[in-house]
Amino acid sequence: MNLFAALERGCALFVERSFARIFPSSLEPVHVARRLISALEATSPPPTLYTVYLHPNDREQLADELPDLQAAWQEMLAQMAERLHVALASEPVVDVVAHPRVVRGTVEIAALPGAVIVRLRVLCGSQREVALVVPEGQVLRVGRAADSALVLLDPSVSRHHAEIVWQDGSLHVRDVGSTNGIFIAKKRVQTAVLKIGERIRFGACELVLE
């Protein structure tokens, strides 16, 4: 079955009911859904990271609803992929970004074929939970430096301590010449594949992969 036919038959009512109340501008909810589904269809391998670009005024109007909206979009993409037998490398991730060049009431979509959400619980300093979007093959830095994707303000952590990359269905970490190293299960490692529930230590700063 054609993706757009499936969208019309299976998701139109769901999308209308879910999104109509939060789209006060001329931005049409079914149009947004179609653009997301179109990106799912057009990209091979199928994308899992979608960036929705909106005019700043449109995004501002949606600000209070964005968490629910993003969750609903992600669920819709996962359901459509399953219904249409499209295999995804990981759960879909939808981000919504304001861009002044987007015409108000319209949508632009950028999609990447592979990405994963990495959830970490930081146990050092100001303890917190962190969620990182890691696109396939893209390197994310870990360290004290402000330009790091994961900033750890602990004196035992080097400015550029490590790199994290999602590749071939696994999450990899590697030391980039840090002073105090990376430790997993109390053993210092240069590179490793991370697993859910595992504790990893950068210097003296410990984190849990959730």
Side-chain angles (χ1 to χ4, degrees):
M1 179 183 293
N2 179 275
L3 273 166
F4 291 110
L7 170 65
E8 291 291 340
R9 294 182 185 184
C11 289
L13 287 176
F14 166 76
V15 172
E16 289 284 2
R17 291 171 182 171
S18 300
F19 301 148
R21 65 184 179 82
I22 57 174
F23 278 84
S25 76
S26 60
L27 191 63
E28 291 292 334
V30 171
H31 176 62
V32 176
R34 283 177 176 166
R35 294 299 302 274
L36 287 168
I37 297 299
S38 178
L40 174 64
E41 181 186 44
T43 310
S44 182
T48 53
L49 177 61
Y50 300 78
T51 304
V52 178
Y53 292 98
L54 302 177
H55 186 277
N57 290 349
D58 285 337
R59 192 187 187 284
E60 179 63 26
Q61 289 178 342
L62 298 176
D64 293 339
E65 305 287 349
L66 275 181
D68 291 339
L69 177 60
Q70 289 170 269
W73 268 335
Q74 289 164 183
E75 182 180 357
M76 183 193 68
L77 286 166
Q79 290 176 355
M80 290 302 299
E82 182 177 0
R83 175 178 295 184
L84 298 161
H85 307 292
V86 176
L88 300 178
S90 60
E91 294 182 4
V93 177
V94 176
D95 193 17
V96 181
V97 176
H99 198 294
R101 293 187 179 179
V102 177
V103 176
R104 189 169 188 186
T106 67
V107 181
E108 297 293 336
I109 304 287
L112 292 176
V116 66
I117 299 180
V118 177
R119 303 184 190 279
L120 296 162
R121 184 153 42 93
V122 181
L123 303 179
C124 64
S126 56
Q127 298 188 12
R128 67 193 191 278
E129 293 185 357
V130 177
L132 301 175
V133 177
V134 186
E136 176 80 19
Q138 182 173 318
V139 174
L140 300 187
R141 292 178 178 175
V142 180
R144 290 200 331 273
D147 63 351
S148 300
L150 177 58
V151 177
L152 300 174
L153 297 178
D154 185 283
S156 68
V157 176
S158 298
R159 282 180 50 77
H160 298 112
H161 197 108
E163 293 177 341
I164 293 174
V165 61
W166 173 258
Q167 200 160 28
D168 300 325
S170 298
L171 188 66
H172 301 257
V173 64
R174 57 175 173 258
D175 196 312
V176 292
S178 70
T179 301
N180 295 313
I182 301 172
F183 293 82
I184 297 176
K186 298 182 179 181
K187 293 179 60 177
R188 186 164 182 166
V189 298
Q190 184 63 32
T191 63
V193 175
L194 299 178
K195 300 177 177 62
I196 298 295
E198 201 160 48
R199 289 176 177 253
I200 179 170
R201 183 158 54 85
F202 300 101
C205 186
E206 191 171 51
L207 298 86
V208 179
L209 182 64
E210 297 184 325

